[in-house]
Amino acid sequence: MAFAAMGKILNVDLSSGAIHEEAIPDAIYRTYLSGTGLAARILYDRIPAGADPLGPDNILGFTAGLLTGTPSYFTGRWSVVGKSPLTGTWGDANCGGSLAPAIKRNGYDGIFFRGISGNPVYLYVKNGRAELRDASHLWGKDAPDAEAMLTGEHGKGARVAVIGPAGERLSLISGISNDRGRMAARSGLGAVMGAKRLKAVVLDGKLRIPVHDAEAMKRLSRSCNRWVQMQPPFLSGRAMAYLGAFMRVLPTQMALDGMLYKIFLRKWGTTSMNQMSVEIGDAPVMNWKGSSADWGMGKSASVNPDNIKALEKAKYHCYACPLGCGGICVPKPGAPEVHKPEYESVLSLGGQCMNADLDSIFHMNELLNRAGMDTISAGGTISFAMECWEQGVLTKADTDGLELTWGNAAAMVALVEKMIRREGIGDVLADGVRRAAERIGKGAGQYAVHAGGQELPQHDGRNDPGFAVHYSVEPTPGRHTLGAQMYYEMFQLWKRVRHLPRPPLLYFKGRKYVADEEKAVTAAACSRYMALANASGLCLFGLFLGASRIPVFEWLNAATGWNRTPNDYLAAGERIHTLRQAFNVKHGIDPRANRLCDRAAGIPAQTRGANRGRTVAIAKMMSDYWRQFGWDPETGVPPPMEREAGKSGS
Ligand code: SF4
């Protein structure tokens, strides 16, 4: 491989301790790009059908994108991949920070682990020389503490991916941490790492990453940066909440230009939308059965972005990001510095549980980050337990004496601690809502909000049916970063891909719920684009700038020396997407079973609040979506020839 990719991967067999490099044929990159695309090919081919996700046959991969380490922007996300123990499907999660380029600077596009080590180990790689080392002294440590010990040993230049106690204890909602508590949280892949007794991956490399035309890439990046830096004066956090309330009562809405979100993101980070989302019906409330009528302005004011901004001491950027949406906060005078909680974390632990105590949200976010447990799934599981309590399915006898009433912040903190330690009721809840409902019985399943076993994020498909569709049809279910109607509006792909439809500038909200051909076309375009983005290492928020402002396709051509059209790249995205779906079919997953639960689809419709009267035609929308790829519209299964095409890229 001449340009942008490193042309090889590292394979580590933890059972035998064998480590070997493997050259990857150029044709693989041309077909699947790199990152999650390359990983899709490897995992599809090499994980045997029916493999136990926590067993030795599962493969856990750490990958960097095709654009990572080139002079492009927003390209510092790394991905972890494997068969998910939470859903049984293809699993992946990604994260920013500074880890991604370290994979390529050691000469690899990915590092893949199989087998199970007899004792805790970590992989240390320096400039492509790799060895397994004993990690007994790190086992049991919180993720940021273990990371500090490893950088103390190997130098501040070392980059670390590490699990905390949640992954070690095989919590199926555990993730993998880097940069002192940032998390590749979804799909439960921390448990796969824990099952392999792999505490950490430590990367210290300075190898050169080859690029076809660095000067052209820099020119493109400068042009993109003009849009990032454009930051007019704008509203306060409180005014945004009122704007949300105003938008809620309007019968119409405007197509969203992502430049607006970029402006919010640059000022506040992802928390910018906290209160506004509750008001417009984007953020679910009270385990998805409530609304802004239950958690109104008086309560949601606690998580207003200005309140969080006031605690921010410094902003930070991921590698190669000119925007910088991250922040370090000091939640109380004299308290230790912590990561600013993200939108998803604040509202999963906030409105979803009716909790208006911001201190407790900061505290739980930090506990979960340190333990390496997914805040989205943890919040979803706590709200499930609270509804079980409300319905009398759980009592004090089941909860170790905790009173799980809505908004009881002290009980929530205690529950988080128990989940991390797998103690009492915490053990029941530490594997997410589906497993918890099975263990609790007594009809608890009706309160378990998930898609395919994964707890849903803080974007309500009853407000934007595109979320409901993508939660249900993506090979890794329950994910909010792969598509939505508003994402399509922000991606503005129609400006680069002629056959894609341009949404009207202003439309009646009822239009969103009509299951027509256009919805399916735009949802499929989102999936193709995001598969391309994840294979390239791109951050979703960069893509929100719009396809005419972020030069994704031009960067790829300049980095690789290829001369491809946007359609060619979207076709590569489709191949990756098909291969991930084929992975699920190979492992016996029925794609229909990943459909999100009725409540989250508005079945029955809510009777008050922003999403009053709204039902998503989810079955038809799923079927229409699958038809776009030539898959069976009834089952979501790609035909054998398509599966083979996804596999071979022919
Ligand atoms: S926008 Fe935020 S998450 Fe994305 S790369 Fe930049 S700092 Fe990281």
Side-chain angles (χ1 to χ4, degrees):
M1 182 72 199
F3 298 113
M6 306 309 287
K8 61 186 180 181
I9 61 171
L10 189 70
N11 293 305
V12 181
D13 186 329
L14 291 161
S15 296
S16 66
I19 299 175
H20 75 274
E21 289 184 353
E22 177 183 351
I24 299 296
D26 190 63
I28 297 290
Y29 294 104
R30 289 180 180 274
T31 308
Y32 305 106
L33 311 176
S34 191
T36 47
L38 170 63
R41 172 63 192 257
I42 289 170
L43 268 59
Y44 178 90
D45 286 346
R46 301 183 186 180
I47 299 178
D52 176 0
L54 300 181
D57 288 336
N58 197 6
I59 296 175
L60 186 71
F62 296 77
T63 67
L66 187 58
L67 285 173
T68 300
T70 68
S72 50
Y73 284 145
F74 297 104
T75 46
R77 290 192 84 82
W78 64 280
S79 289
V80 59
V81 295
K83 183 174 179 181
S84 165
L86 182 64
T87 60
T89 64
W90 168 269
D92 61 36
N94 61 61
C95 190
S98 58
L99 185 84
I103 298 172
K104 290 175 83 167
R105 285 182 182 148
N106 273 292
Y108 306 116
D109 296 309
I111 301 174
F112 294 86
F113 296 88
R114 69 183 327 147
I116 290 181
S117 173
N119 58 297
V121 292
Y122 71 93
L123 182 80
Y124 176 57
V125 193
K126 181 153 178 102
N127 291 324
R129 285 199 310 280
E131 59 183 291
L132 288 168
R133 294 192 174 187
D134 179 61
S136 305
H137 60 301
L138 303 169
W139 205 251
K141 301 282 184 210
D142 281 357
D145 295 344
E147 180 178 337
M149 290 168 73
L150 286 162
T151 52
E153 197 172 327
H154 297 292
K156 285 200 178 339
R159 298 289 175 258
V160 178
V162 60
I163 54 169
E168 293 175 16
R169 294 175 186 141
L170 310 185
S171 160
L172 301 189
I173 56 172
S174 59
I176 299 165
S177 164
N178 62 289
D179 291 73
R180 299 167 303 285
R182 297 188 62 174
M183 290 261 285
R186 309 246 64 201
S187 303
L189 295 174
V192 177
M193 198 160 162
K196 292 187 178 305
R197 296 196 189 88
L198 176 66
K199 178 69 179 179
V201 177
V202 183
L203 303 169
D204 189 2
K206 293 190 172 52
L207 301 183
R208 199 179 136 265
I209 298 166
V211 173
H212 171 69
D213 188 344
E215 286 310 312
M217 294 199 78
K218 286 176 190 165
R219 278 197 301 279
L220 290 163
S221 297
R222 278 196 295 274
S223 153
C224 173
N225 195 30
R226 277 187 301 130
W227 295 104
V228 178
Q229 300 310 327
M230 192 179 286
Q231 192 73 5
F234 57 96
L235 304 163
S236 70
R238 189 151 188 78
M240 281 178 59
Y242 284 107
L243 179 63
F246 178 61
M247 287 164 65
R248 187 181 70 221
V249 297
L250 288 178
T252 54
Q253 72 178 64
M254 288 188 70
L256 195 57
D257 188 318
M259 275 299 284
L260 191 61
Y261 183 68
K262 191 284 300 183
I263 290 165
F264 298 159
L265 192 66
R266 185 136 180 246
K267 176 164 183 180
W268 288 290
T270 55
T271 58
S272 57
M273 300 302 293
N274 284 357
Q275 209 178 355
M276 190 183 201
S277 283
V278 175
E279 286 302 315
I280 63 174
D282 180 37
V285 168
M286 202 196 274
N287 200 32
W288 294 69
K289 77 184 177 96
S291 69
S292 57
D294 303 290
W295 211 64
M297 290 273 209
K299 288 186 173 142
S300 66
S302 58
V303 298
N304 183 278
D306 285 340
N307 295 352
I308 296 172
K309 182 81 181 162
L311 304 173
E312 187 179 74
K313 297 302 167 210
K315 284 169 73 75
Y316 64 72
H317 300 232
C318 296
Y319 168 82
C321 178
L323 194 152
C325 71
I328 295 293
C329 290
V330 176
K332 286 182 196 163
E337 292 182 346
V338 297
H339 285 285
K340 179 170 65 180
E342 302 291 346
Y343 163 88
E344 289 291 336
S345 309
V346 172
L347 289 177
S348 293
L349 299 163
Q352 180 150 303
C353 301
M354 303 283 285
N355 175 25
D357 182 329
L358 186 59
D359 276 356
S360 74
I361 292 172
F362 266 90
H363 185 45
M364 287 185 279
N365 184 59
E366 182 63 3
L367 287 173
L368 291 162
N369 284 346
R370 292 187 67 80
M373 189 178 275
D374 179 7
T375 53
I376 296 175
S377 285
T381 307
I382 292 169
S383 69
F384 155 81
M386 287 176 149
E387 189 167 357
C388 287
W389 172 275
E390 182 185 57
Q391 298 299 329
V393 173
L394 289 176
T395 67
K396 270 189 179 182
D398 306 301
T399 63
D400 313 317
L402 294 176
E403 294 191 15
L404 299 182
T405 49
W406 294 113
N408 185 343
M412 288 178 67
V413 171
L415 203 50
V416 164
E417 289 169 340
K418 284 176 177 292
M419 287 166 69
I420 291 168
R421 292 196 298 265
R422 277 195 173 279
E423 179 186 287
I425 182 68
D427 184 49
V428 176
L429 301 177
D431 294 324
V433 293
R434 187 161 71 178
R435 302 301 200 293
E438 287 165 8
R439 285 180 69 174
I440 293 167
K442 297 186 269 187
Q446 65 189 297
Y447 313 121
V449 177
H450 66 91
Q454 180 144 253
E455 294 69 26
L456 297 185
Q458 295 298 297
H459 295 287
D460 197 325
R462 294 167 296 191
N463 174 60
D464 181 336
F467 281 114
V469 171
H470 286 276
Y471 291 159
S472 305
V473 296
E474 293 288 344
T476 167
R479 299 288 295 280
H480 64 287
T481 50
L482 298 170
Q485 291 183 9
M486 72 171 178
Y487 288 5
Y488 183 77
E489 292 170 6
M490 292 195 284
F491 290 160
Q492 300 187 344
L493 278 170
W494 63 88
K495 293 186 175 176
R496 304 302 315 281
V497 182
R498 196 159 291 164
H499 71 268
L500 289 176
R502 173 193 290 266
L505 205 55
L506 186 71
Y507 53 87
F508 283 102
K509 287 177 181 169
R511 183 180 189 274
K512 297 191 289 186
Y513 303 88
V514 178
D516 56 17
E517 170 87 2
E518 186 176 315
K519 304 291 187 313
V521 168
T522 58
C526 284
S527 293
R528 293 184 184 107
Y529 194 42
M530 286 313 302
L532 165 69
N534 288 332
S536 304
L538 279 153
C539 173
L540 173 69
F541 300 144
L543 302 182
F544 286 166
L545 288 172
S548 62
R549 302 181 187 118
I550 181 166
V552 172
F553 308 114
E554 290 76 11
W555 271 333
L556 282 163
N557 280 340
T560 59
W562 299 336
N563 184 21
R564 292 184 169 183
T565 66
N567 260 326
D568 293 337
Y569 282 114
L570 292 183
E574 178 165 335
R575 283 194 291 274
I576 297 165
H577 190 57
T578 301
L579 195 48
R580 290 161 66 239
Q581 185 79 337
F583 177 96
N584 285 354
V585 173
K586 174 179 170 179
H587 287 268
I589 298 291
D590 179 349
R592 292 169 295 191
N594 288 340
R595 202 198 90 161
L596 85 175
C597 63
D598 281 354
R599 178 183 289 181
I603 307 169
Q606 291 190 294
T607 54
R608 61 187 198 143
N611 296 320
R612 182 179 66 245
R614 293 174 175 172
T615 296
V616 181
I618 188 66
K620 177 158 186 345
M621 285 184 169
M622 289 171 69
S623 178
D624 290 350
Y625 171 93
W626 287 329
R627 192 177 285 112
Q628 289 299 314
F629 294 96
W631 304 347
D632 186 318
E634 300 307 316
T635 65
V637 173
M641 276 181 61
E642 287 295 315
R643 295 211 293 273
E644 193 57 28
K647 181 182 169 190
S648 67
S650 56

